[in-house]
Amino acid sequence: MLSRRTLFARATHAAVAACCIALGANRATAQDYPTKPVQLIVPFAAGGAADIIGRTIAEKLSQTWGQQVVVENRGGAGSNIGINAAAKSAPDGYTLVLASIAVAVNPWLFKSMPYDPVKDLTPLTLALETPNVVLVPPSSPIKNIKDLIAFAKEKAASGGATYGSAGVGSSLHLAAEVFRQQAKVEMTHVPYRGSSPALTDLMAGRIDLMFDNASTALPQVQGGSLRAIAVTTKERIAALPDVPTISESGLPGFELANWWAIFGPGQMPPALAERISGDIRKVLADPDVQKRFADVSGRVIASSPQELAAHLAQESAKWKQIVETAGIRGSQ
């Protein structure tokens, strides 16, 4: 009969050997990846800013990897449906998801969540940020942010200025809510099923204003159908150099941007996550990709997985306070 010491030694050697095999498999998986097509879920409808971003990255990753990166638009429930599909996938790197700021907002917006952003997702890279612009009809008396604040206060007795959005809890709704809280004004939210019908009503003068993504607002602004009175980011944007920031227009310190990040399912092997993150960051450094994003006023960030994890934690804490103060609830 073997002694207890011998049995313990053999068990220890077996455990060490298993760890070495696992580490070796992890490295081999990362080195060989990918050996088949990769799916990139975009949890929003085709044609919007998320779709443009996702397809741009997917095209360049396909060239880098020599394997097709297939974009699948899977919208609904404030992006929860698409993100949950990725979170529940195998952590082998063959399903990725392009998430927006909603991944930090939704846990506080909805009563129940199908996934946990921290436990069920592996951070890969914070890809870029995009600004919002504050829009009014061309005939509006509102020329700047000070005018808007005065207008909202004047209309306070009847509910304040009316603003449209792409729906309750959308990034456009939340941007206006942050402004309302900081400006200390009353405004009435008019939710739509997407930004397009909201823009149509704004151009017709049925609502007073709207916060919209710069990428989708630019054609209307440049064509004269709408007037941009401010941008939400810290600095002005190249596409609208004469449009001031909200911060310089009467609300010092105001700064808000949409951001877009790529995650994998939770529990991805660290070496594989680093490999995929590094390849995506190389794609984001490509001059052609940077130009495409600059054309829609996007600013490339290309963070490490660790930086994205820290960013998500910071954003989650910020949006928890904003959502709870406003009393906003999603439809789930």
Side-chain angles (χ1 to χ4, degrees):
M1 180 179 293
L2 297 175
S3 68
R4 183 177 298 179
R5 178 177 297 179
T6 301
L7 288 171
F8 179 78
R10 287 188 177 181
T12 302
H13 289 319
V16 171
C19 289
C20 290
I21 291 170
L23 288 172
N26 185 1
R27 294 192 187 98
T29 300
Q31 290 171 359
D32 296 341
Y33 174 92
T35 59
K36 62 182 181 179
V38 177
Q39 180 186 46
L40 176 61
I41 295 176
V42 174
F44 298 95
D51 195 45
I52 294 171
I53 294 166
R55 292 183 187 278
T56 298
I57 293 173
E59 178 186 341
K60 288 293 183 179
L61 278 177
S62 296
Q63 297 172 11
T64 299
W65 286 337
Q67 291 285 351
Q68 188 176 11
V69 179
V70 181
V71 171
E72 179 183 353
N73 296 96
R74 197 181 297 191
S79 78
N80 278 347
I81 291 175
I83 296 176
N84 183 53
K88 299 298 189 289
S89 299
D92 55 7
Y94 289 96
T95 301
L96 309 175
V97 63
L98 175 69
S100 72
I101 194 172
V103 76
V105 176
N106 286 356
W108 317 116
L109 191 64
F110 297 111
K111 291 182 179 179
S112 62
M113 285 281 289
Y115 66 92
D116 184 317
V118 176
K119 295 179 181 178
D120 298 332
L121 294 173
T122 296
L124 297 176
T125 185
L126 177 60
L128 74 157
E129 65 176 24
T130 56
N132 287 324
V133 293
V134 187
L135 303 169
V136 297
S139 59
S140 173
I142 302 170
K143 308 295 184 189
N144 51 50
I145 290 298
K146 289 183 178 179
D147 285 350
L148 172 55
I149 293 173
F151 181 86
K153 289 181 177 179
E154 181 184 343
K155 300 289 184 181
S158 57
T162 56
Y163 71 93
S165 81
V168 174
S170 66
S171 62
L172 310 182
H173 175 202
L174 295 169
E177 179 56 34
V178 172
F179 173 81
R180 188 196 68 76
Q181 290 183 21
Q182 293 195 18
K184 296 180 173 59
V185 295
E186 292 300 321
M187 299 198 303
T188 299
H189 179 216
V190 183
Y192 291 81
R193 296 179 66 87
S195 61
S196 293
L199 287 170
T200 298
D201 271 8
L202 180 62
M203 287 185 277
R206 298 187 185 96
I207 52 177
D208 295 317
L209 71 140
M210 180 177 172
F211 284 66
D212 194 22
N213 296 315
S215 58
T216 54
L218 281 174
Q220 284 77 22
V221 173
Q222 292 167 344
S225 300
L226 291 170
R227 183 167 67 243
I229 63 170
V231 296
T232 63
T233 40
K234 183 178 181 180
E235 298 176 350
R236 297 190 185 196
I237 61 176
L240 298 170
D242 296 328
V243 178
T245 66
I246 291 178
S247 181
E248 65 181 300
S249 301
L251 277 184
F254 187 101
E255 181 182 354
L256 185 68
N258 295 325
W259 51 263
W260 309 87
I262 296 181
F263 293 84
Q267 306 303 314
M268 283 181 65
L272 179 60
E274 288 287 352
R275 161 70 194 277
I276 296 173
S277 174
D279 287 345
I280 296 172
R281 281 180 276 164
K282 289 177 183 176
V283 162
L284 292 170
D286 183 283
D288 181 50
V289 171
Q290 297 214 347
K291 182 181 184 305
R292 288 195 206 180
F293 289 151
D295 289 343
V296 294
S297 300
R299 183 177 74 88
V300 172
I301 299 174
S303 78
S304 68
Q306 296 76 20
E307 289 168 336
L308 173 54
H311 180 77
L312 178 60
Q314 182 180 5
E315 285 286 282
S316 180
K318 179 182 80 173
W319 286 106
K320 178 179 186 291
Q321 180 179 357
I322 293 169
V323 169
E324 289 180 348
T325 299
I328 303 170
R329 283 295 173 200
S331 57
Q332 283 183 316

